[in-house]
Amino acid sequence: TQLLEQSPQFLSIQEGENLTVYCNSSSVFSSLQWYRQEPGEGPVLLVTVVTGGEVKKLKRLTFQFGDARKDSSLHITAAQPGDTGLYLCAGGSQGGKLIFGQGTELSVKP
Amino acid sequence: KAGVTQTPRYLIKTRGQQVTLSCSPISGHRSVSWYQQTPGQGLQFLFEYFSETQRNKGNFPGRFSGRQFSNSRSEMNVSTLELGDSALYLCASSLAAVSDYGYTFGSGTRLTVV
């Protein structure tokens, strides 16, 4: 059974601080995707990484896929209150299936 | 362009009843997946359809079923509802046949079983 462990589960920081969210597994995934979800809405895709060692940057967000394609991280620089939300990592599996981590609830206080 | 549309947004049902949820994917998207989201278990994969064929099924009892129509619209059905079926049910669609390009999710159907 493929599992993704995401940490930390909860994160409360002040505006301007940096943070990193981790996603780890003992399984190899074909891709690692990061989503952000706001209350009452569905997850919104932030990025997909497919190559081991790949790094993608989206403004203040940096995503990394581990060399062995078993882990990933999301780093946010100078967090803002608008970054508040539930961050989810998801591993691509066969047959159109995504395996989701438990999520990281991020709260950025002004 | 229109996103993924799920109807209804909210639903309250009684134990033992059955329910049908609907999902209209983005135009042209042939892959439709369903997920159950609960505070305790997070997002759990229910099933995925591509061009009307179920390609993968998650670890849920047979009371959970689904189908996809020729226009890619999809429905999922839950029979003999239990209190534990209360959850946010999310539908996601993708243009690609593989999961690696990411999915667009709908806003979900919030099902409450009383």
Side-chain angles (χ1 to χ4, degrees):
Chain A
T1 305
Q2 291 177 303
L3 290 173
L4 266 174
E5 292 185 9
Q6 193 172 337
S7 63
Q9 270 192 287
F10 301 94
L11 203 46
S12 181
I13 61 173
Q14 294 295 129
E15 182 177 2
E17 291 183 5
N18 301 332
L19 66 114
T20 303
V21 179
Y22 299 94
C23 205
N24 296 293
S25 176
S26 57
S27 304
V28 174
F29 290 99
S30 56
S31 67
L32 219 299
Q33 302 168 29
W34 287 89
Y35 292 82
R36 179 166 163 252
Q37 185 177 21
E38 301 206 27
E41 297 297 327
V44 175
L45 179 68
L46 296 173
V47 78
T48 298
V49 283
V50 295
T51 305
E54 184 176 2
V55 177
K56 278 191 177 178
K57 293 192 176 184
L58 234 69
K59 297 183 182 178
R60 295 176 294 101
L61 278 59
T62 302
F63 305 86
Q64 188 160 5
F65 200 11
D67 290 341
R69 290 169 38 220
K70 293 182 180 180
D71 55 88
S72 180
S73 64
L74 156 62
H75 182 79
I76 300 179
T77 304
Q80 298 175 359
D83 295 328
T84 293
L86 177 67
Y87 288 81
L88 296 154
C89 64
S93 185
Q94 62 183 346
K97 177 179 180 178
L98 291 178
I99 308 293
F100 278 88
Q102 284 292 91
T104 295
E105 195 75 59
L106 172 65
S107 172
V108 183
K109 301 187 189 317
Chain B
K1 65 182 180 184
V4 177
T5 304
Q6 290 190 247
T7 55
R9 281 297 306 268
Y10 302 93
L11 209 45
I12 299 176
K13 289 286 187 179
T14 305
R15 264 185 308 176
Q17 286 187 313
Q18 76 164 21
V19 68
T20 299
L21 311 182
S22 180
C23 172
S24 292
I26 290 174
S27 179
H29 284 196
R30 292 158 66 192
S31 171
V32 174
S33 303
W34 289 88
Y35 291 84
Q36 181 195 66
Q37 186 175 28
T38 58
Q41 299 296 319
L43 273 113
Q44 302 221 291
F45 174 78
L46 281 157
F47 26 66
E48 190 261 357
Y49 290 88
F50 185 82
S51 294
E52 301 179 68
T53 300
Q54 186 183 88
R55 296 195 299 172
N56 210 335
K57 190 177 191 312
N59 192 23
F60 278 83
R63 299 185 296 107
F64 292 81
S65 63
R67 58 179 174 168
Q68 186 181 33
F69 302 97
S70 57
N71 62 358
S72 292
R73 192 178 71 84
S74 178
E75 289 182 346
M76 68 163 280
N77 185 277
V78 188
S79 62
T80 321
L81 284 165
E82 301 177 0
L83 295 178
D85 297 333
S86 295
L88 180 67
Y89 289 88
L90 291 159
C91 167
S93 76
S94 174
L95 183 62
V98 295
S99 61
D100 297 339
Y101 296 96
Y103 284 85
T104 303
F105 281 81
S107 298
T109 294
R110 172 74 61 184
L111 172 64
T112 302
V113 182
V114 297

